[in-house]
């Protein structure tokens, strides 16, 4: 008589298969739900409007910053690289036809420009006197008179609050965008509308500073770095300073 042997092996195989499937499912679930804010300052977990508020607060509380990038406005297109703090700033501005360096200490604004700047008169045309002045003013700083029509514009490039106020404003309903990086720093993006009102990348490391701003409507992209890093401001030597002697030409695009 043949003895009956229970089918143990199939049941064992089934049990093993179930355990394997359960383990695989758990692993896949863990991967799929990985927290993108793990190891960050947690700002990415907030609503878009709260992220905007935190970034603005961080910017307002900083006493220094460096801005570099492109600004596009009705007055022209400018490439800027400026280091700014409350009592002044220094750096360079490049337009279509000229490049100039700016230095502000308190209310005193100094300008050092190339020949392209000096060869344009106040109406934006070519100026033979400006050509001659360019030779005289090469590698020299000109102190901009406060009653000169260009003073306010030039000072604006060195004013931290003015530049940040114009660059960190999103227009329209604020929405959360994608996670990304600016340099090596992880960021979360917030958008004005779907981006037409601007896009701001906010740091997920330490203080939630704004690290990059894309202005809506193709208005340029600017990176913001060296938050809170102080730098020296020193007036140029008298030997490096000259008096232009008449109304400065307006910077042209």
């Amino acid at each position: 008589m043949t003895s009956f042997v229970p089918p143990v092996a199939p049941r064992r195989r089934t049990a093993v298969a179930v355990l394997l499937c359960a383990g695989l499912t758990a692993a896949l679930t863990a991967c799929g739900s990985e927290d993108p804010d793990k190891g960050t300052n947690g700002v990415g977990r907030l609503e878009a409007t709260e992220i905007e508020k935190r970034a603005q607060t961080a910017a307002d509380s900083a006493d220094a910053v460096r801005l570099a990038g492109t600004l596009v406005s009705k007055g022209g297109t400018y490439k800027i690289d400026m280091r700014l703090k409350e009592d002044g700033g220094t750096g360079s501005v490049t337009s279509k036809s000229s490049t100039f360096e700016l230095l502000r200490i308190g209310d005193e604004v100094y300008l050092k420009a190339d020949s392209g700047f000096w060869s344009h008169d106040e109406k934006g045309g070519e100026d033979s006197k400006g050509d001659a002045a360019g030779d005289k003013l090469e590698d020299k700083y000109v102190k901009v008179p406060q009653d000169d029509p260009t003073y306010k514009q030039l000072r604006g490039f060195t004013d931290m609050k003015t530049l940040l106020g114009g660059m960190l404003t999103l227009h329209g309903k604020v929405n959360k965008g994608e996670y990304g990086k600016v340099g090596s720093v992880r960021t979360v993006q917030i958008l004005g509308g779907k981006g037409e009102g601007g896009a701001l990348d906010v740091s997920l490391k330490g203080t939630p500073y704004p690290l990059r701003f894309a202005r809506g409507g193709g208005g340029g992209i600017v990176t913001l770095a060296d938050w809170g890093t102080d730098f020296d401001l020193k007036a140029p030597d008298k030997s490096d300073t000259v008096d232009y002697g008449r109304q400065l030409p307006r910077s042209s695009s």
Side-chain angles (χ1 to χ4, degrees):
M1 181 177 180
T2 304
S3 61
F4 175 73
V5 179
V8 176
R11 284 203 299 269
R12 287 178 178 171
R13 286 197 297 271
T14 301
V16 172
V18 170
L19 289 172
L20 287 173
C21 287
L24 180 60
T25 300
L28 291 175
T29 302
C31 291
S33 63
E34 183 178 352
D35 184 0
D37 293 294
K38 183 178 180 181
T40 72
N41 56 19
V43 169
R45 298 188 180 97
L46 304 176
E47 296 293 328
T49 53
E50 183 61 23
I51 297 174
E52 180 184 34
K53 182 179 178 181
R54 297 282 183 94
Q56 188 65 60
T57 298
D60 289 343
S61 63
D63 52 14
V65 68
R66 180 176 183 175
L67 282 70
T70 302
L71 297 176
V72 181
S73 67
K74 293 181 180 179
T77 299
Y78 301 91
K79 291 183 179 180
I80 66 170
D81 188 352
M82 301 295 301
R83 297 193 68 182
L84 310 170
K85 57 183 178 178
E86 185 176 354
D87 59 345
T90 182
S92 64
V93 180
T94 300
S95 67
K96 182 179 179 180
S97 60
S98 63
T99 297
F100 51 93
E101 296 179 24
L102 289 172
L103 170 64
R104 180 174 69 85
I105 304 173
D107 291 327
E108 295 184 346
V109 176
Y110 298 89
L111 167 72
K112 185 198 294 188
D114 63 7
S115 59
F117 181 91
W118 298 116
S119 64
H120 285 76
D121 63 20
E122 59 268 21
K123 297 181 181 180
E126 294 296 324
D127 184 359
S128 59
K129 293 181 179 179
D131 289 336
D135 295 334
K136 174 187 175 184
L137 302 174
E138 184 177 5
D139 294 326
K140 299 290 184 180
Y141 281 97
V142 172
K143 186 176 179 180
V144 182
Q146 294 186 30
D147 60 353
D148 191 282
T150 64
Y151 176 85
K152 185 176 180 180
Q153 179 190 24
L154 296 174
R155 181 189 171 113
F157 283 117
T158 67
D159 191 293
M160 183 173 172
K161 291 188 180 299
T162 297
L163 281 182
L164 290 181
M167 275 191 255
L168 301 182
T169 302
L170 297 172
H171 300 281
K173 182 180 179 181
V174 181
N175 299 293
K176 190 182 295 188
E178 301 292 331
Y179 288 82
K181 282 188 175 183
V182 175
S184 61
V185 180
R186 293 176 61 195
T187 59
V188 62
Q189 190 175 76
I190 51 175
L191 309 168
K194 295 183 179 179
E196 69 276 7
L200 184 66
D201 293 274
V202 180
S203 175
L204 289 175
K205 179 181 179 181
T207 305
Y209 288 121
L211 297 184
R212 180 169 57 202
F213 184 66
R215 301 174 75 196
I221 299 176
V222 175
T223 58
L224 305 99
D226 297 337
W227 287 101
T229 302
D230 195 16
F231 57 95
D232 292 330
L233 287 173
K234 182 181 178 182
D237 293 335
K238 289 186 178 181
S239 60
D240 293 329
T241 307
V242 296
D243 179 12
Y244 185 55
R246 59 195 182 101
Q247 184 173 304
L248 272 68
R250 295 179 180 274
S251 61
S252 59
S253 59

